[in-house]
Amino acid sequence: MEQVAARVPEEIDEAIQAYSDENDCSRSEAIRDLLERGIEYDQLQTENQRLQNEKHTIIQQREQHTELVEYIEEEKSYRKAGLFTRAKWWAFGMPDD
């Protein structure tokens, strides 16, 4: 195990001592535990951001697919319509359902 020395503000030192007292461990063990938790937190934040981006992409794809389905349904109704109805739509526009 590597030995590391660092200077910390008094507030952080007090928080480390409090953690050490609460968990009945040495200051070194408390510092190691808190550093590991910080690293895990950072990894979880990164994973959370990746999942948020993936969710956003999926929502965009769903919206695009919905628009395509609506367009195709509109085209189907246009193609099934009779000549008179198509001429009326051409002249006055298709009605909004």
Side-chain angles (χ1 to χ4, degrees), residues 16-17 19-20 25-35:
I16 292 170
Q17 187 60 49
Y19 183 89
S20 173
C25 62
S26 69
R27 289 172 56 81
S28 294
E29 290 172 318
I31 292 169
R32 281 192 296 272
D33 189 37
L34 291 168
L35 286 171

Side-chain angles (χ1 to χ4, degrees), residues 62-79:
R62 182 186 305 154
E63 289 172 356
Q64 290 173 349
H65 290 161
T66 301
E67 289 173 7
L68 286 172
V69 167
E70 289 171 357
Y71 175 77
I72 289 170
E73 292 299 322
E74 187 177 306
E75 281 294 311
K76 283 181 181 178
S77 69
Y78 179 76
R79 292 176 192 266

Side-chain angles (χ1 to χ4, degrees), residues 1 5 8 15 23-24 35 45 79 82 91-92:
M1 195 175 300
V8 295
N23 293 283
D24 194 31
L35 286 171
Q45 288 289 89
R79 292 176 192 266
F92 302 108

Side-chain angles (χ1 to χ4, degrees), residues 45-69:
Q45 288 289 89
T46 301
E47 179 67 6
N48 185 35
Q49 185 61 46
R50 185 191 69 76
L51 291 172
Q52 290 291 333
N53 292 340
E54 186 176 322
K55 175 184 165 187
H56 181 71
T57 300
I58 290 170
I59 289 171
Q60 283 181 328
Q61 289 174 341
R62 182 186 305 154
E63 289 172 356
Q64 290 173 349
H65 290 161
T66 301
E67 289 173 7
L68 286 172
V69 167

